[in-house]
């Protein structure tokens, strides 16, 4: 009986495995094999990796993506924690309505987000024209189509994403814990340092990794705002595959493999760190 049920479960999982093989495993295998293939002869080679590790243009792309991802993750996480704390102090009905908006904002990215920012604060954006009409140069010197604009747009979708993960963990903190701490003479700072923060630390660490990965993998928003003017790794891979001047899909595959390895290492480190934090809290 158990064997028959076990077989039925595996049969039901066949579509999932087929989809995973078609859209994940096979492309990944092709990408890895392509990264070891010579562009000229088609033979096996490590030359593609030698090229991307010795070409400053490529590792600058990794550096730029890493820097803006770290910036948007740290600043976005700090603001997400502050907003989440404020959110937990609101009435339940307002919390429910705001979480719906936050969920929408977290998924509002890509070209539509870039277009919205262009309408608001682009060179002829509504807010820019409004402030210029008021002789109030608030946006003077701000360039949406540069690192300034990228930082602002990254923060726009990173903050709601952080709230979606931090807010549930803050909701689990019981008011009785705070009341008990205050009765025993603890200050607000001591309560958060000794009780509140250690309880949400695994969630904070996990959220930071997710936000960092989200920032590293962002393509549409950055490309819609800056085109190829800003050297990010996702833009570089797309340019090599589609070809601004001429396509080099093999080098694009090599960059994608290195990019995937970096993300895997980050995920392994984060899981190790989370296990250590949970063990220390236990």
């Amino acid at each position: 009986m158990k064997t028959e049920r076990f077989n039925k479960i595996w049969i039901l999982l066949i579509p999932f495995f087929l989809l995973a093989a078609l859209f994940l495993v096979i492309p990944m295998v092709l990408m890895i094999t392509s990264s070891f293939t010579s562009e000229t002869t088609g033979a096996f080679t490590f030359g593609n990796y030698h090229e991307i590790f010795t070409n400053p243009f490529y590792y600058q792309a990794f550096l730029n993506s890493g820097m803006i991802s770290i910036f948007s993750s740290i600043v976005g996480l700090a603001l997400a924690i502050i907003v989440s704390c404020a959110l937990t102090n609101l009435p339940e009905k307002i919390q429910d309505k705001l979480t719906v908006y936050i969920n929408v904002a977290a998924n509002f990215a890509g070209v539509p987000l870039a277009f919205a920012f262009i309408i608001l604060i682009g060179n002829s954006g509504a807010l820019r024209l409004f402030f210029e009409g008021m002789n109030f140069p608030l946006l003077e010197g701000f360039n949406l189509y540069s690192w300034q604009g990228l930082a602002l747009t990254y923060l726009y979708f990173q903050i709601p994403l952080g709230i979606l993960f931090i807010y549930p963990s803050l909701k689990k903190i019981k008011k009785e814990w705070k009341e008990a701490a205050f009765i025993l003479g603890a200050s607000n700072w001591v309560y958060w340092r000794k009780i509140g923060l250690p309880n949400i630390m695994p969630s904070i660490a996990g959220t930071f990794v997710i936000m960092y990965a989200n920032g590293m993998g962002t393509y549409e928003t950055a490309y819609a705002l800056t085109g190829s003017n800003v050297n990010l790794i996702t833009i570089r891979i797309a340019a090599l595959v589609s070809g601004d001047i001429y396509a080099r899909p093999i080098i694009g595959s090599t960059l994608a493999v290195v990019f995937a390895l970096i993300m895997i290492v980050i995920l392994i480190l984060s899981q190790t760190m989370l296990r250590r934090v949970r063990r220390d809290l236990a």
Side-chain angles (χ1 to χ4, degrees):
M1 186 67 180
K2 286 185 178 179
T3 305
E4 185 180 350
R5 185 181 177 187
F6 184 76
N7 291 335
K8 286 182 180 177
I9 292 173
W10 279 108
I11 290 172
L12 291 173
L13 286 174
I14 286 175
F16 167 74
F17 288 121
L18 284 175
L19 287 174
L22 284 173
F23 296 104
L24 185 64
V25 178
I26 294 176
M28 188 178 297
V29 171
L30 291 175
M31 188 176 70
I32 293 172
T33 53
S34 177
S35 69
F36 290 103
T37 304
S38 171
E39 287 184 293
T40 53
T41 64
F44 179 85
T45 180
F46 288 104
N48 301 323
Y49 287 94
H50 179 266
E51 179 178 344
I52 66 169
F53 285 125
T54 55
N55 190 331
F57 190 60
Y58 292 141
Y59 60 74
Q60 184 198 44
F62 281 108
L63 181 64
N64 289 342
S65 293
M67 292 296 290
I68 194 165
S69 299
I70 288 177
F71 167 78
S72 63
S73 301
I74 292 175
V75 177
L77 183 59
L79 294 174
I81 293 172
I82 294 172
V83 174
S84 299
C85 286
L87 199 59
T88 54
N89 292 315
L90 295 174
E92 287 289 338
K93 288 185 178 179
I94 297 178
Q95 287 186 38
D96 293 340
K97 291 179 180 176
L98 287 178
T99 49
V100 171
Y101 164 73
I102 290 167
N103 198 358
V104 172
N107 290 287
F108 186 64
V111 177
L113 175 63
F115 184 61
F117 270 86
I118 290 170
I119 290 175
L120 280 176
I121 54 176
N123 290 337
S124 301
L127 282 179
R128 187 183 290 274
L129 295 176
F130 173 76
F131 286 123
E132 286 178 1
M134 298 288 288
N135 290 323
F136 185 59
L138 181 64
L139 295 174
E140 188 177 356
F142 177 80
N143 184 4
L144 179 64
Y145 313 102
S146 66
W147 285 106
Q148 294 175 331
L150 280 184
L152 188 62
T153 50
Y154 270 54
L155 284 176
Y156 180 86
F157 60 76
Q158 291 278 50
I159 293 171
L161 181 66
I163 294 172
L164 288 180
F165 288 99
I166 295 294
Y167 171 68
S169 61
L170 284 174
K171 287 279 285 184
K172 290 181 180 177
I173 296 179
K174 297 180 180 178
K175 292 182 180 178
E176 290 82 358
W177 297 352
K178 197 170 188 177
E179 291 171 358
F182 288 166
I183 289 172
L184 293 173
S187 63
N188 197 45
W189 163 247
V190 172
Y191 162 74
W192 278 106
R193 188 165 62 88
K194 297 287 187 180
I195 301 172
L197 204 56
N199 274 281
I200 63 171
M201 188 55 74
S203 177
I204 290 175
T207 303
F208 175 79
V209 173
I210 292 171
M211 293 171 71
Y212 180 80
N214 190 41
M216 284 288 288
T218 296
Y219 167 68
E220 295 93 345
T221 305
Y223 187 76
L225 285 179
T226 64
S228 298
N229 295 329
V230 174
N231 190 18
L232 299 177
I233 187 60
T234 49
I235 292 177
R236 196 53 42 216
I237 292 172
L240 287 166
V241 172
S242 60
D244 284 350
I245 301 175
Y246 60 94
R248 297 186 67 189
I250 290 179
I251 296 299
S253 297
T254 311
L255 284 174
V257 170
V258 175
F259 178 69
L261 288 175
I262 291 173
M263 298 309 297
I264 289 171
V265 169
I266 290 171
L267 288 175
I268 292 173
L269 289 176
S270 70
Q271 291 301 314
T272 305
M273 186 171 62
L274 283 174
R275 278 197 295 271
R276 185 170 297 178
V277 170
R278 290 192 181 103
R279 185 188 60 196
D280 294 341
L281 291 175

